[in-house]
Amino acid sequence: MDTKPINTGSAATGLLRRPDRCDRIALVLQGGGALGAYQAGVYEEIAKIPTEPHWVAGVSIGAINAALIAGNPPEQRVERMREFWNLVSSSVSGAAPIWEGQRAAFHQFSAAVAAMAGLPPVAGCAQVVPPSRAASMPMSCS
């Protein structure tokens, strides 16, 4: 297969190759919370290459990362992704669970807090609305 180089502008990133007749670049991101954080780090390195993807798509957390990429100017994308991931990452500190029961209890507690209070950075305008009033509520927070 014939390939042509993509000029990366940096010796550190090396010389990338893509097949001839491939004139479009797509960045597709899948779901999974920890994978989403990893994607942010990978995108930070991709952003150093002076070639932009033509299409960005994702599923679940990958869709959020894709929206952060597509919805911001190139010079702000890495900064916005870093802000998002710092905002939604757990700020719980302390020792790692000693035994599996502690881990399970921590996960149950975290899930209960999220179910009762939401995740303020993500669900800041979430409201509990009785179904009988849903039709009269504004949809500005949807």
Side-chain angles (χ1 to χ4, degrees), residues 84-97:
F84 171 78
W85 282 101
N86 285 337
L87 192 64
V88 300
S89 296
S90 174
S91 60
V92 176
S93 61

Side-chain angles (χ1 to χ4, degrees), residues 68 72 76-89 121:
L68 289 166
N72 285 289
Q76 292 181 350
R77 292 173 180 166
V78 171
E79 177 186 347
R80 294 292 185 253
M81 289 184 85
R82 187 176 290 123
E83 287 174 2
F84 171 78
W85 282 101
N86 285 337
L87 192 64
V88 300
S89 296

Side-chain angles (χ1 to χ4, degrees), residues 26-115:
L27 177 61
V28 181
L29 306 170
Q30 71 181 55
L35 183 59
Y38 177 80
Q39 292 167 353
V42 170
Y43 183 77
E44 187 170 351
E45 290 302 309
I46 290 173
K48 294 175 184 176
I49 301 170
T51 300
E52 290 289 315
H54 297 91
W55 295 296
V56 182
V59 172
S60 191
I61 196 66
I64 292 173
N65 282 336
L68 289 166
I69 294 166
N72 285 289
E75 66 277 2
Q76 292 181 350
R77 292 173 180 166
V78 171
E79 177 186 347
R80 294 292 185 253
M81 289 184 85
R82 187 176 290 123
E83 287 174 2
F84 171 78
W85 282 101
N86 285 337
L87 192 64
V88 300
S89 296
S90 174
S91 60
V92 176
S93 61
I98 296 172
W99 51 283
E100 190 58 34
Q102 280 183 317
R103 182 181 311 278
F106 176 76
H107 289 307
Q108 290 295 322
F109 175 76
S110 295
V113 169

